[in-house]
Amino acid sequence: MLSRAMIPLLAALLTAATTTAPATAAPVKHVVYVAKNGSDDAKGTLRDPFATIERARDALAGTTSRREPGIVYIREGVYQSAKTIEVKGAEHSYVTYAAYPGEQVELAGVTTLAPEKFRRLSDLPAYDAKWSSKARVPAGTAPNVWVYDLGAEGIPTGTLYKNGFNWKPQPYAPELITDDATQTLAQYPNGDAKLTRDHLTVKEAPKGARDYFSDKTADGTTLPYEEMLELPGPVYTVKDADLAARYGKWAKPAGTDTPDGTAYETDGWLSGYFGNNYANDRLRIETVGGGDLTTHYPTMYVATDKWTSFVAQNVLSELDTEGEYYIDRWQDHDTLYYYPPGGTVEGKEISLTSFDAPFFQLENVTGVTLKDLRLNGTTGSGVRLLDAESCTIDGLEILNVSMDAVQIGEANDAITAIAEYRTSRGGHRNRVVDSRLHDLGGGGVFTAGGDRDSLERGDHVVEHNEIYDFSKLATYTPAGYLYGVGNTFRYNNVHDAPHMAIQIMGNDMEVTHNRFERLVTHASDQGVIYAGRDYTYLNNVVAYNLFKDVGADGNQAVYMDDGMSGMVVHHNVFDNVQHGLFYQSGHSNVARDNVFTNVTYIGHDKLYHEGGKRLPVANAKVVIERFNDMLKVGDGTGFTNTRQNVETWYRHYAKQYPNIRDWYVPSDAQGEPCTAVGDTECTDEQVWSDPDSLYVPAHNVLTRSVSIATGDFAYTDDADGLSVKTFNPDFDSFNARLATPVEAGFDAATGRFDARATPLNRAEGFGPAWVRAWNRTFSLDGIGPRAAR
């Protein structure tokens, strides 16, 4: 018999036996050092270190293994990055690259601008062509503007590219950073203000690029990308008097062949929302004059006045606010204009991102760890992992990155909205832990792992991180991308971003024990957690999270879009949210045991039945193709899966979704999707009533909700009286409605109930056991990087 003292020891041994140990857990025989004062001709010892990480990497090549891992200790200092450090191939596996204990190590993709090389605008020579654009600086600003000759220092000035939702991501232009704060590219209007339909209206609105993708075209083909870029952009007519007085400098006049950089902007852009209120885009300003503003490049979605919300950007003539800057690239001038806070550069640390690639790329390696490093400044992504196994990003600070901080795997060039979108090369069991990822133009951690055809898991884990100030340059770039199968995002503190925090495109994901605060603050029709347009994204669990202070402009905490099915949402707190949950036409979505406090609506629904049961339903081509891609038996090519894989799906989900074998796309006798309701085939019952039809929102659950100062569920009002409750009569059962947190015995600071005083002890569907279980499982403790505690 085991003594009580031996039980914890046995448990620890069992845990160790079933957990993959980090690369540094085994005794380390192979240790080399890197230092600022080192030499690549050195021995790599503590006293005779190498000068570069690449030299240390090569010194360990082929000598390390799981049993004999290696470590590269990097001594204190700032190491300028000029190219990606590639850790590639089995010979470079089982190595940790770490800051020497107790020392601060930064890999810098930023170039510090020497204070003594700044000059006041007023001190420039009168006739130097390099500074000819200075004539565009507003007279009122000029006394406070400083300039820097980047070209003379060989500092890259980058390029402004066409970027935006569903356009191919490209490196962004360099960003100016002062005292660790990103400055603002000169724009109009300033601050959070936007140009709207009150300022200008759409005069010409050509088709958007979205209309040329395969799910929208009559022949099912997609226009080649380069041809798509040649499509015309919208034309706007100026109506606001203040705008009319200033927009004439934003580009060359209509009919002019060659711009005059002394009078007009040479690379001005519009940046923001054009054809909807949730996906950003960028257009170059082509010409101005006669009350019109023409653009170069198409919008992704057709431009409409309703959604106009953007700024004019990269316009020197609008450099009129502290913190704004502009880089003149015209005719290789490569010069910086800057209006520093307080009107002076003195006493400030000013730098420019000059690196346009990942700091590290881990490819085809196993057991590699990056630990306790600071990666600062790139117009690309921070760290990329391709076909990596059991690698770890541990204790990193990644900041001032224009794209994603960490990318695990990659995606093809198809847009996420269509069935051809694929991810690959994600590897397995990679981890991002205890890190701070912030000031990001894109997202936090892109995880593509697992195989959806076979439901093989990726088992990537993102945990105990703080991720904030992300999505600054692009929408749909969340703190956590969960793509594939079986990846986890837990115990993270995610806050302060204009768009979503999590996007799920796959199965068996876990989003648990996170704080989500002050998110989707500058978007509409969006969610903190977003998933959709696929009936086969099943068993994604959202549990034990706090959703607090979500942007109120038509947003929700959990957005289950176009047919999203099988989401499991339980034991979460929703605090100060407009809509907690959005059920949109999907199957088998379950929300149970959640607390809603100060929420306008617990949630709302939307049915394909709206607007008169129209066929085909919205986005029919995509949802049908994606359903068939996983659950239609074939040879695995096209939009089919193999019989073996389909059986794997059925067995895997048989208990959770017992009717999954019976789900069907409403089709006619020839197997073609229904396009109209008939008497003998494609009947109203087959399409619109049978709970196994994909178009019927069956088997949805909302139960055991605690509603504190919260409105009811808002049912659809445009489906002839039908709603999600029509098909799920027990929907919204056991809803405990309470006026205040005090009345509920609920402590918002801890997320727990007073087990003795709460009236839930006596509420139908709840009771003391429910309260005890809640208090035991829901906790706001331990979230965020463990090093901070």
Side-chain angles (χ1 to χ4, degrees), residues 199-201 236-245 247 250 291-293:
H199 301 92
L200 69 179
T201 58
Y236 289 90
T237 296
V238 174
K239 58 186 288 190
D240 174 71
D242 184 53
L243 179 60
Y247 90 108
W250 291 358
D292 291 342
L293 182 154

Side-chain angles (χ1 to χ4, degrees), residues 580-596:
L581 308 163
F582 184 18
Y583 289 75
Q584 187 176 352
S585 308
H587 275 252
S588 304
N589 293 302
V590 175
R592 60 175 177 83
D593 305 302
N594 296 291
V595 173
F596 302 85

Side-chain angles (χ1 to χ4, degrees), residues 90-110:
E91 68 273 20
H92 294 301
S93 292
Y94 302 108
V95 177
T96 293
Y97 296 83
Y100 189 80
E103 296 186 355
Q104 303 295 315
V105 174
E106 176 177 310
L107 274 64
V110 298

Side-chain angles (χ1 to χ4, degrees), residues 413-624:
D413 290 335
I415 65 173
T416 57
I418 64 176
E420 289 87 351
Y421 181 82
R422 292 287 189 277
T423 58
S424 61
R425 306 195 68 189
H428 304 83
R429 296 174 297 281
N430 297 300
R431 302 166 64 235
V432 180
V433 300
D434 291 313
S435 295
R436 290 179 61 222
L437 315 176
H438 62 98
D439 289 280
L440 309 172
V445 184
F446 178 96
T447 58
D451 176 59
R452 294 196 66 234
D453 288 340
S454 64
L455 292 177
E456 171 198 332
R457 294 174 61 88
D459 284 322
H460 301 311
V461 176
V462 180
E463 64 181 346
H464 290 295
N465 304 287
E466 184 179 13
I467 307 174
Y468 59 99
D469 287 341
F470 56 94
S471 290
K472 294 167 64 175
L473 298 174
T475 54
Y476 287 84
T477 54
Y481 306 74
L482 297 177
Y483 294 0
V485 182
N487 302 309
T488 297
F489 189 94
R490 66 191 178 204
Y491 290 101
N492 299 291
N493 184 6
V494 181
H495 59 93
D496 295 289
H499 214 253
M500 67 171 74
I502 300 289
Q503 184 174 27
I504 298 173
M505 295 187 69
N507 299 60
D508 300 339
M509 307 297 187
E510 177 186 315
V511 182
T512 61
H513 298 285
N514 302 286
R515 296 183 73 110
F516 296 112
E517 300 180 87
R518 298 180 299 281
L519 298 163
V520 286
T521 56
H522 290 75
S524 301
D525 189 23
Q526 194 47 254
V528 175
I529 295 180
Y530 175 89
R533 211 154 287 178
D534 198 318
Y535 287 94
T536 67
Y537 289 165
L538 299 175
N539 189 40
N540 294 296
V541 177
V542 178
Y544 311 111
N545 303 287
L546 170 67
F547 298 88
K548 184 175 174 60
D549 299 335
V550 176
D553 191 9
N555 295 309
Q556 26 270 312
V558 180
Y559 195 132
M560 296 171 276
D561 199 6
D562 281 340
M564 180 63 195
S565 298
M567 187 84 87
V568 181
V569 183
H570 70 89
H571 291 89
N572 301 280
V573 172
F574 302 85
D575 185 355
N576 189 26
V577 179
Q578 187 171 36
H579 301 280
L581 308 163
F582 184 18
Y583 289 75
Q584 187 176 352
S585 308
H587 275 252
S588 304
N589 293 302
V590 175
R592 60 175 177 83
D593 305 302
N594 296 291
V595 173
F596 302 85
T597 177
N598 192 28
V599 174
T600 307
Y601 302 101
I602 285 179
H604 65 115
D605 65 339
K606 183 176 176 66
L607 281 64
Y608 283 136
H609 301 70
E610 286 185 303
K613 299 180 178 179
R614 289 172 295 187
L615 290 174
V617 300
N619 301 299
K621 186 175 187 293
V622 172
V623 297
I624 291 170

